[in-house]
Amino acid sequence: MKAIVSVREAVKNYILGNVVVPALRGVTLDVVEGDFLAIAGPSGSGKTTLLNLIGCVDTPTSGTVEVAGKDTRQLSERELTDLRLHTIGFIFQSFNLVSVLTVFQNIELPLLLQRKLNGPERAQRVAALLERVGLREYGAHRPSELSGGQRQRVAIARALVTRPQLVLADEPTANLDSVTGAHILDLMRELNRTEKTTFIFSTHDQSVMAHANAVVRLADGKLVDRVTPAQAAAETGLPA
Amino acid sequence: MRAWLATLGVVAQIAFRNLFASRLKTIIVGGIIFFGGLLVVAGNSLLDSVVASMSRSVIGSVAGHIQVYNAKSKDTLEVMGRMMMGDPDLSQLDDFAKVRASLLKVENVKSVVPMGISGALVTSGNTIDLALEKLRNAVNARRDAKTDGERAQAELQVASEKGHVRQIVSVLQGDLKNAKAVLDERTIDPADGAAVNRAASDAFWQDFDKEPFEALEFLENRIASQAADADLLFLNYIGTDFQAFQKSFDRMKIVEGTMVPAGKRGFLFAKHVYEEQLKLKAARRLDQIKEGTENEGETIATDPDLKRMVRENVSQVREILLQLDAAKTVDFRAKLQRELASQETDVGKLLAAFFQTDDHNFRGRHDFFYKELAPSLELYRVRIGDVLTIKAFTRSGYVQSVNVPVYGTFEFQGLEKSTLAGALNLMDMVSFRELYGFMSGEKLAEIQALQKAAGAHDVSRENAEAELFGSKATDAPAAKAPRRIEATTTPGVAPVMHDLGESLGGKLQREEARSRVFPSDEVERGVVLNAAVILKNPKKIKETIVAIEAQGKQDGLTLKAIDWQAAAGLIGQFVNVIRIVLYVAILIIFLIALVIINNALVMATLERVKEIGTLRAIGAQRRFILAMLVVESIVVGFIFGGLGAGLGVLLVTVVGKIGIPAKSDVWFFFFSGPRLYPFIGTSNIVAAFAIVLLVSAFSSFYPAWIAMRVTPRQAMQEEE
Ligand SMILES: Nc1ncnc2c1ncn2[C@@H]1O[C@H](COP(=O)(O)OP(=O)(O)OP(=O)(O)O)[C@@H](O)[C@H]1O
Ligand SMILES: [Mg+2]
């Protein structure tokens, strides 16, 4: 299968004053289309940094990151933005809905930015997704009127509304209780299956990792290994 | 395209919702912009209205739409608001007829009025001089009496005039006593005191008839100088063609007397000057107190100005006392005693008590004054019908004097109360030219006659002037009953007031001043300093100025044309000054607004970093973020600026219906009448929007810059 993401020897250094903080120290990783990949690792290991490189939010200090066949280091800021708009969906740890817009408008927003579909087409697509994430009745609500789990479902719908090839989620369940978190993962997994969308998400949580096809483990800015969720669970001695 | 509109829609939607979400910010920013819009619209409209009405005042009272003068002049022409500083150095326009012909070739020119503006310092009727003049005339009449009847009548006249002069002397004696009480005795010239005491003595008056001329000389030389009660008075005048002036400035109307007939010498007082400067001061103050209490709703008890006027009337009764001869003194005493129910016999004290008015008795006293006392008094120092002798130093330095009969007073409709519009008196062009030192046809003829008589062929123009006018100035002949009032254009030079007996020459001159008719040619063909141009279409001033100057060049004239505002000098500048003040105020307000709005937007932007980061992360370009902020600012600008401008329009419209009352005489001029009716100019509304938009734009620069620098990564950062 084709690799949608291809990371080669990616190094990312942050400069804090005159101190260089190495966040990634040469990571190589391929993610194939339709994957449902978890990135695990202790705090500060570089999960967010890696997701940012894949999400075209940042570019590597050295090495290459290719997303949908494009080397992100070769792209301008504008092209990176376009790549995000058309190829990638984002799910954030704290949902990041636009508070002044309704649920419907929040989901519609990327379509408006894309300027591809007309009003009715957009409405249809948003309605379908609302149905899909179980929020058919909530289109006119404001995010503040929803629970955390509902908000994250809105965020998932927003991430998927442009039918991106790749959806990135940095600790999507960190702000949710475990039951709700499991529901969110179930939903993502289902969408992964039905829409063939590639998902990459980071987490500390073993039970969350259990939903993944594979777990990529990071430690201290380096990729340790790529294991099955069962293996990952076994090593920490927790049930999968 | 559709999608683009949809994006704009979402931008607008986010913008609108954000405005609602952060209401406080919106209200602060909006409030400032609202106030700014209001100020721009209301302030500018008000100012434009003032400019429009002031232009009517200036144009309608003297300037016309355009003033034309000689481009070779050293100074610029100012037809209004000039001070006593002397005349500007203007070159003459030699032949008015030619100038007018040239101007009338310009299509937009409707009419042309010849002008020259100058001023003279006038010393007007000194009461003791007049009393002495009357006494001298009576003595002369007695000497020349041919029949017993005439002699008896003259004798009575002499006795009456003697009484008046004695009265004045006794007032002087009183003054002297008062002065001794307050001043160091050494500061008073003992000779003066002795002279007054002598003139007040019974012996002096018993001996008067033995050597009347000697006695008169003593009085004139030793006493008159001490009783100087006349103020110097500066008269600004326009020399013009009365008929052309009246036709072109149709707001002009005659108040008292008549228009100066065509081709005659004559003088018209501006009604305001006549009231303000020539009226008996006590009477003028009574008028002003009446005006203040009845028309302006003030009270003597509370208004310091009115209070001051009452005080001055109480302390300055001397002006009236000096006018009273024996008979009038008796009459005033009786009337005042009755009116005040007083036993006081001193008329001075009675008058002081009479003028001690309050809000309660003022109206009664005012009416009593005009009904009972005023008929016995000279209310004006110059009466309609008097002949004014105006003396001027011509430009070549010789004293020139001209006799002009006062035909009446005039004012401009709607500008009755304006000092500015009422500052210029009118004089015939021929007299003006003579005073200014130009040759009139009449004078040229005289010079030619003089040259012939002297057989002198080499009398230059200057010498001729010296011979002719230099001598004339010193033997100023006088008229009898219309009085003569002398004037000189040089401040500080005492006018010659001796030889007040009626001479033959004087009589002739007076007669001539009244009856001589100039050929219209003489007014037309002569020299003028400037000319007022009235236009058919007043909107095309700028184009017409260019056309006039071009036409002048073609006709071999060096014409300089300026618009009414420039011609109005300081007054014209005044509007610019107000405009600058308004603009500076607007600028300051908007600078402050800029800072406040900027701060509010920066705060709002910082609060929205996460939202902006999210938008960037999910694919919004920077320009989308920029558009969002700009739309927010513009929406606030338009809505609140629009509301402010709307309120401004409403305010100006409502005030435009009611009118703003003119508080003081200056405002009568600026309002061109008693009330200003402001109107809305569309340009002001446009300006308001332009400024509001500019401020909105400028104040969003920094916040927008902050917003543009928000990275998508900031969407992922958790708040601490
Ligand atoms: N903007 C930044 N500037 C400087 N250093 C940074 C920045 N972002 C991350 N780092 C550093 O890079 C390293 C990797 O951080 P990263 O956020 O990728 O870890 P993480 O695995 O996501 O951790 P967590 O589980 O706590 O989210 C850390 O040492 C971190 O301190
Ligand atoms: Mg992280």
Side-chain angles (χ1 to χ4, degrees):
Chain A
M1 262 204 276
K2 217 174 95 189
I4 183 160
V5 174
S6 174
V7 181
R8 290 279 167 273
E9 290 299 324
V11 172
K12 181 69 187 176
N13 295 327
Y14 290 111
I15 315 277
L16 268 182
N18 43 18
V19 183
V20 177
V21 182
L24 289 180
R25 304 158 184 260
V27 171
T28 300
L29 172 70
D30 284 312
V31 182
V32 293
E33 263 177 56
D35 212 341
F36 197 73
L37 185 73
I39 297 176
S43 188
S45 57
K47 302 184 292 294
T48 300
T49 305
L50 182 57
L51 277 175
N52 282 351
L53 292 185
I54 297 170
C56 303
V57 157
D58 227 332
T59 48
T61 311
S62 69
T64 58
V65 174
E66 273 180 33
V67 177
K70 286 180 182 134
D71 182 351
T72 58
R73 282 230 288 180
Q74 309 296 319
L75 299 180
S76 69
E77 138 77 44
R78 224 177 229 212
E79 289 163 330
L80 286 173
T81 306
D82 267 338
L83 194 59
R84 291 199 297 273
L85 177 60
H86 296 289
T87 316
I88 304 168
F90 284 91
I91 298 168
F92 303 91
Q93 181 178 335
S94 46
F95 328 131
N96 289 28
L97 300 177
V98 179
S99 59
V100 295
L101 298 179
T102 61
V103 165
F104 184 97
Q105 288 165 336
N106 264 287
I107 299 172
E108 190 190 20
L109 192 54
L111 292 179
L112 287 164
L113 292 174
Q114 277 192 335
R115 303 192 220 151
K116 275 183 186 161
L117 303 182
N118 63 25
E121 288 166 344
R122 292 196 303 268
Q124 208 185 348
R125 182 152 328 161
V126 173
L129 267 170
L130 270 173
E131 181 84 47
R132 203 80 173 70
V133 298
L135 292 172
R136 192 157 55 101
E137 312 289 322
Y138 290 86
H141 286 250
R142 288 293 184 81
S144 57
E145 296 159 10
L146 304 181
S147 72
Q150 287 172 320
R151 287 186 211 185
Q152 199 60 306
R153 280 193 265 163
V154 175
I156 291 169
R158 180 178 65 185
L160 288 165
V161 77
T162 57
R163 301 199 172 140
Q165 291 169 269
L166 176 66
V167 171
L168 302 177
D170 192 7
E171 307 198 35
T173 59
N175 282 342
L176 300 172
D177 63 71
S178 53
V179 177
T180 316
H183 283 309
I184 289 298
L185 258 294
D186 284 339
L187 177 62
M188 283 165 57
R189 181 78 222 199
E190 196 191 323
L191 288 164
N192 165 250
R193 276 197 206 103
T194 54
E195 314 284 328
K196 306 276 179 271
T197 311
T198 312
F199 275 80
I200 305 175
F201 61 96
S202 70
T203 184
H204 301 99
D205 194 335
Q206 292 293 342
S207 60
V208 171
M209 278 176 242
H211 291 82
N213 285 343
V215 178
V216 169
R217 291 197 288 197
L218 286 181
D220 202 15
K222 282 189 166 159
L223 198 141
V224 181
D225 56 9
R226 185 181 172 125
V227 296
T228 61
Q231 282 174 314
E235 270 173 40
T236 49
L238 287 166
Chain B
M1 188 63 199
R2 293 271 288 283
W4 190 87
L5 271 178
T7 316
L8 193 73
V10 81
V11 166
Q13 208 160 18
I14 298 177
F16 267 102
R17 283 167 204 268
N18 265 319
L19 293 178
F20 265 99
S22 40
R23 245 158 275 160
L24 187 67
K25 177 208 88 178
T26 307
I27 286 169
I28 292 174
V29 172
I32 294 166
I33 289 180
F34 172 85
F35 182 67
L38 175 69
L39 184 79
V40 171
V41 167
N44 269 325
S45 294
L46 209 64
L47 205 62
D48 284 352
S49 311
V50 170
V51 174
S53 56
M54 197 197 81
S55 75
R56 267 181 283 134
S57 294
V58 174
I59 292 167
S61 67
V62 48
H65 298 112
I66 293 175
Q67 281 279 336
V68 172
Y69 64 106
N70 195 333
K72 288 182 191 149
S73 304
K74 284 207 188 81
D75 293 333
T76 49
L77 174 70
E78 272 180 30
V79 296
M80 272 200 140
R82 62 163 83 190
M83 302 292 132
M84 252 169 92
M85 298 313 175
D87 298 328
D89 192 349
L90 296 179
S91 298
Q92 68 214 43
L93 294 167
D94 277 319
D95 186 347
F96 173 65
K98 234 163 116 186
V99 171
R100 178 160 66 188
S102 174
L103 289 173
L104 287 176
K105 281 188 220 158
V106 175
E107 216 224 297
N108 194 22
V109 171
K110 189 164 135 200
S111 60
V112 184
V113 184
M115 284 189 177
I117 301 175
S118 188
L121 198 66
V122 179
T123 43
S124 66
N126 199 340
T127 316
I128 190 162
D129 291 326
L130 294 173
L132 287 173
E133 184 189 339
K134 281 187 195 166
L135 180 54
R136 185 181 278 271
N137 288 334
V139 170
N140 280 337
R142 184 174 63 184
R143 184 191 58 197
D144 301 338
K146 294 196 178 64
T147 64
D148 279 353
E150 271 180 26
R151 187 164 302 117
Q153 209 184 333
E155 195 64 62
L156 267 176
Q157 191 68 34
V158 169
S160 163
E161 300 304 345
K162 267 160 72 181
H164 188 190
V165 174
R166 253 192 111 164
Q167 199 72 30
I168 293 174
V169 172
S170 71
V171 171
L172 272 180
Q173 203 176 22
D175 287 350
L176 211 63
K177 258 184 221 142
N178 291 340
K180 275 182 184 156
V182 285
L183 292 170
D184 187 340
E185 204 150 336
R186 273 164 302 177
T187 60
I188 299 164
D189 186 348
D192 282 350
V196 171
N197 284 334
R198 186 183 154 212
S201 68
D202 290 335
F204 177 82
W205 291 100
Q206 275 157 17
D207 293 343
F208 180 87
D209 290 318
K210 288 185 198 152
E211 289 290 349
F213 290 101
E214 222 165 81
L216 272 169
E217 202 152 303
F218 168 75
L219 289 169
E220 280 161 5
N221 293 339
R222 302 291 301 125
I223 302 298
S225 57
Q226 293 187 54
D229 65 330
D231 295 298
L232 290 177
L233 137 78
F234 191 76
L235 293 180
N236 279 310
Y237 47 80
I238 313 176
T240 189
D241 173 344
F242 282 101
Q243 276 62 38
F245 190 94
Q246 196 177 28
K247 231 165 78 194
S248 294
F249 298 104
D250 52 14
R251 289 172 83 168
M252 175 195 180
K253 60 171 199 266
I254 299 291
V255 185
E256 287 136 315
T258 58
M259 187 65 187
V260 179
K264 290 224 179 180
R265 286 182 192 274
F267 195 88
L268 287 182
F269 272 107
K271 177 66 179 162
H272 199 272
V273 171
Y274 198 58
E275 287 297 310
E276 193 71 38
Q277 304 196 39
L278 293 150
K279 196 169 189 177
L280 188 69
K281 287 198 182 58
R284 176 69 184 154
R285 282 192 285 259
L286 286 180
D287 296 347
Q288 281 172 328
I289 297 170
K290 181 161 178 267
E291 168 81 20
T293 52
E294 291 183 6
N295 295 344
E296 281 154 32
E298 287 153 1
T299 62
I300 298 172
T302 55
D303 187 273
D305 271 344
L306 298 188
K307 232 183 236 168
R308 174 182 51 77
M309 284 189 249
V310 168
R311 233 177 16 244
E312 283 172 357
N313 264 1
V314 168
S315 61
Q316 297 174 21
V317 297
R318 187 170 173 277
E319 182 194 31
I320 294 177
L321 284 182
L322 286 174
Q323 280 200 26
L324 302 180
D325 59 19
K328 284 178 188 167
T329 304
V330 172
D331 178 46
F332 271 43
R333 182 183 297 129
K335 279 177 176 164
L336 286 169
Q337 280 179 341
R338 215 175 325 117
E339 173 70 9
L340 299 170
S342 162
Q343 301 295 305
E344 179 62 54
T345 53
D346 184 313
V347 179
K349 284 184 183 150
L350 281 168
L351 278 170
F354 174 77
F355 283 123
Q356 189 63 59
T357 48
D358 53 36
D359 290 299
H360 180 65
N361 65 18
F362 175 77
R363 192 59 217 251
R365 296 273 168 92
H366 172 274
D367 294 350
F368 180 86
F369 176 83
Y370 275 103
K371 194 159 157 284
E372 303 289 338
L373 307 182
S376 309
L377 298 170
E378 294 278 10
L379 276 185
Y380 295 93
R381 293 195 293 189
V382 178
R383 286 173 306 195
I384 311 302
D386 285 351
V387 175
L388 266 180
T389 298
I390 299 181
K391 289 188 182 181
F393 280 92
T394 64
R395 313 198 71 210
S396 38
Y398 297 103
V399 177
Q400 171 65 296
S401 89
V402 163
N403 291 332
V404 276
V406 175
Y407 275 85
T409 62
F410 74 98
E411 64 192 6
F412 294 103
Q413 209 115 37
L415 297 175
E416 292 85 353
K417 290 196 178 163
S418 167
T419 313
L420 285 168
L424 286 168
N425 308 290
L426 293 180
M427 183 192 282
D428 69 277
M429 201 68 227
V430 171
S431 300
F432 176 84
R433 284 181 194 137
E434 286 173 15
L435 283 173
Y436 206 77
F438 300 134
M439 298 286 164
S440 62
E442 191 185 352
K443 290 283 179 201
L444 280 174
E446 267 183 78
I447 290 174
Q448 273 157 17
L450 199 82
Q451 283 174 333
K452 237 183 226 154
H457 300 285
D458 58 345
V459 178
S460 71
R461 177 171 158 156
E462 262 91 74
N463 288 339
E465 243 185 288
E467 278 184 57
L468 184 66
F469 313 142
S471 57
K472 239 195 193 134
T474 44
D475 70 55
K480 184 161 60 177
R483 299 172 297 161
R484 290 168 44 108
I485 287 80
E486 302 220 344
T488 165
T489 48
T490 309
V493 174
V496 188
M497 289 296 283
H498 60 78
D499 186 18
L500 285 155
E502 170 90 320
S503 70
L504 183 64
K507 205 177 232 159
L508 283 175
Q509 210 171 340
R510 178 164 57 78
E511 277 316 304
E512 189 225 62
R514 291 197 172 286
S515 58
R516 163 100 164 71
V517 178
F518 304 109
S520 69
D521 195 50
E522 169 142 14
V523 183
E524 290 289 295
R525 297 218 66 92
V527 166
V528 295
L529 289 181
N530 54 300
V533 177
I534 311 290
L535 302 182
K536 291 173 191 153
N537 179 0
K539 288 210 171 78
K540 289 194 184 158
I541 290 187
K542 279 200 178 71
E543 296 90 310
T544 311
I545 284 178
V546 174
I548 285 175
E549 291 185 349
Q551 185 64 49
K553 218 171 249 164
Q554 227 178 73
D555 295 336
L557 297 166
T558 48
L559 296 186
K560 168 121 184 104
I562 53 176
D563 65 9
W564 62 269
Q565 201 173 357
L570 273 180
I571 296 158
Q573 295 311 305
F574 184 75
V575 175
N576 293 344
V577 170
I578 308 183
R579 207 178 275 283
I580 288 168
V581 168
L582 180 73
Y583 286 171
V584 168
I586 289 175
L587 194 78
I588 290 173
I589 288 172
F590 276 109
L591 277 180
I592 295 170
L594 215 71
V595 171
I596 298 176
I597 294 174
N598 178 69
N599 276 357
L601 290 181
V602 167
M603 301 274 280
T605 306
L606 289 178
E607 273 171 20
R608 288 164 63 188
V609 163
K610 191 161 178 167
E611 179 192 315
I612 293 167
T614 304
L615 286 170
R616 296 281 285 117
I618 65 173
Q621 295 287 2
R622 278 185 169 151
R623 55 170 190 259
F624 178 91
I625 306 298
L626 182 66
M628 194 173 83
L629 292 182
V630 166
V631 167
E632 274 180 41
S633 288
I634 289 179
V635 163
V636 171
F638 261 103
I639 291 179
F640 287 89
L643 284 176
L647 184 67
V649 169
L650 192 78
L651 215 71
V652 172
T653 311
V654 169
V655 172
K657 286 258 169 358
I658 305 166
I660 304 167
K663 264 274 165 235
S664 68
D665 62 60
V666 180
W667 292 106
F668 272 84
F669 186 80
F670 286 123
F671 292 2
S672 201
R675 272 169 185 273
L676 177 74
Y677 298 96
F679 55 85
I680 287 288
T682 36
S683 63
N684 293 327
I685 300 172
V686 174
F689 274 101
I691 293 178
V692 161
L693 285 184
L694 220 66
V695 168
S696 302
F698 270 104
S699 53
S700 355
F701 278 165
Y702 183 56
W705 186 73
I706 294 177
M708 305 260 285
R709 287 194 351 145
V710 171
T711 62
R713 208 146 34 93
Q714 282 169 282
M716 332 251 171
Q717 278 162 0
E718 300 297 305
E719 293 95 306
E720 308 299 309

